[in-house]
Amino acid sequence: MSKKMKIEKPKISSKLIESTDIIEKILDYETVEDTLVENTKIQEINNISIKLNGCIFRNVVFENCDFRKIDMVDVIFENCDLSNIDFSDSGIYRVEFKNCKLIGSIFNDCILKSVLFEDCAGRYSNFAFSKFKGVSFINSDFNSSVFQEVENGMLLLDSTNLVKSVFTGTSLDKVDFTNCDIDGIELRLKDVYGGIFSAGQALDLTKLMGILIK
């Protein structure tokens, strides 16, 4: 896969409405759209059904929130803290996470289409059983994260820390790991087929085949 793979960018209106009561909007409305949220904390949001459409969240801390089954389309998160947030069973389309904290965040059983993670701290995140349709991880730290049984339909990895990450059951065909750190990565031999690795990485992966090189 080329490092120049392009994914669709979020489509954001040039006339966003700045919100000062975003928690009330989330609790009271089924859809929040064309909204700018800055320099605030969103906390204790649970048991809701919400759609975010055409929004920007900038310098926002999310705390004790449960966003399972959320629907996000054309959304940008900049300098946000989304650590330990549960996004399971969600649809995430044309969404960008830039310079965000996503430590321990959960994206299990999600559909992620045209999604960018750039300059993010995402250690211990979990993407198990999700579907990737154009997902980029760029200059980020996803050490010890789980990508188990992901349905991979275009995955770009560029300068990302994937030490001790789990990729078992995920096809890595055409996925380029050459400028990523994959020490201690967990996968199965059949997952490696078609993957692109540096010579040093390939040498380490021979352990999967039980080969000793002298």
Side-chain angles (χ1 to χ4, degrees), residues 20-29 45:
T20 57
D21 58 349
I22 186 60
I23 294 179
E24 287 78 3
K25 281 189 175 181
I26 291 174
L27 294 175
D28 294 342
Y29 297 95
I45 301 293

Side-chain angles (χ1 to χ4, degrees), residues 1-122:
M1 180 175 292
S2 170
K3 294 291 187 184
K4 296 181 179 179
M5 179 189 81
K6 292 184 178 180
I7 60 177
E8 291 186 79
K9 295 183 68 64
K11 299 174 182 177
I12 304 293
S13 171
S14 60
K15 298 180 180 179
L16 296 181
I17 301 170
E18 188 167 355
S19 177
T20 57
D21 58 349
I22 186 60
I23 294 179
E24 287 78 3
K25 281 189 175 181
I26 291 174
L27 294 175
D28 294 342
Y29 297 95
E30 292 184 356
T31 301
V32 176
E33 58 186 351
D34 298 331
T35 299
L36 171 64
V37 183
E38 292 185 292
N39 306 314
T40 190
K41 178 183 286 187
I42 297 175
Q43 57 187 344
E44 307 298 340
I45 301 293
N46 296 282
N47 300 316
I48 61 166
S49 177
I50 186 70
K51 296 180 180 179
L52 301 179
N53 190 353
C55 298
I56 294 178
F57 294 85
R58 185 178 294 131
N59 302 320
V60 177
V61 175
F62 293 80
E63 190 174 278
N64 297 323
C65 293
D66 185 342
F67 287 135
R68 283 177 289 182
K69 299 183 183 297
I70 194 173
D71 188 3
M72 293 193 288
V73 181
D74 298 319
V75 178
I76 297 175
F77 296 93
E78 295 180 358
N79 307 316
C80 292
D81 188 345
L82 297 130
S83 297
N84 299 310
I85 302 301
D86 192 346
F87 293 102
S88 297
D89 298 304
S90 296
I92 303 173
Y93 305 91
R94 294 193 302 272
V95 173
E96 293 182 349
F97 297 89
K98 292 187 173 183
N99 195 34
C100 290
K101 289 181 66 176
L102 292 154
I103 298 170
S105 296
I106 302 171
F107 294 87
N108 291 349
D109 294 295
C110 288
I111 298 175
L112 296 94
K113 184 175 182 180
S114 292
V115 176
L116 170 67
F117 298 89
E118 186 172 11
D119 299 318
C120 288

Side-chain angles (χ1 to χ4, degrees), residues 140-195:
S140 294
D141 182 3
F142 280 83
N143 185 316
S144 302
S145 292
V146 177
F147 301 86
Q148 184 178 12
E149 300 287 348
V150 167
E151 185 178 311
N152 177 19
M154 285 200 304
L155 169 62
L156 171 69
L157 302 171
D158 192 356
S159 301
T160 291
N161 180 358
L162 295 165
V163 170
K164 296 183 180 178
S165 291
V166 178
F167 281 86
T168 52
T170 297
S171 171
L172 303 178
D173 187 29
K174 297 184 177 65
V175 179
D176 189 342
F177 289 87
T178 53
N179 64 357
C180 296
D181 191 345
I182 61 170
D183 287 350
I185 193 173
E186 183 178 330
L187 39 71
R188 297 182 300 207
L189 182 58
K190 66 179 181 180
D191 303 327
V192 179
Y193 182 83

Side-chain angles (χ1 to χ4, degrees), residues 114-133:
S114 292
V115 176
L116 170 67
F117 298 89
E118 186 172 11
D119 299 318
C120 288
R123 297 183 298 280
Y124 309 110
S125 294
N126 197 328
F127 295 85
F129 303 101
S130 287
K131 296 180 180 180
F132 286 4
K133 300 180 179 181

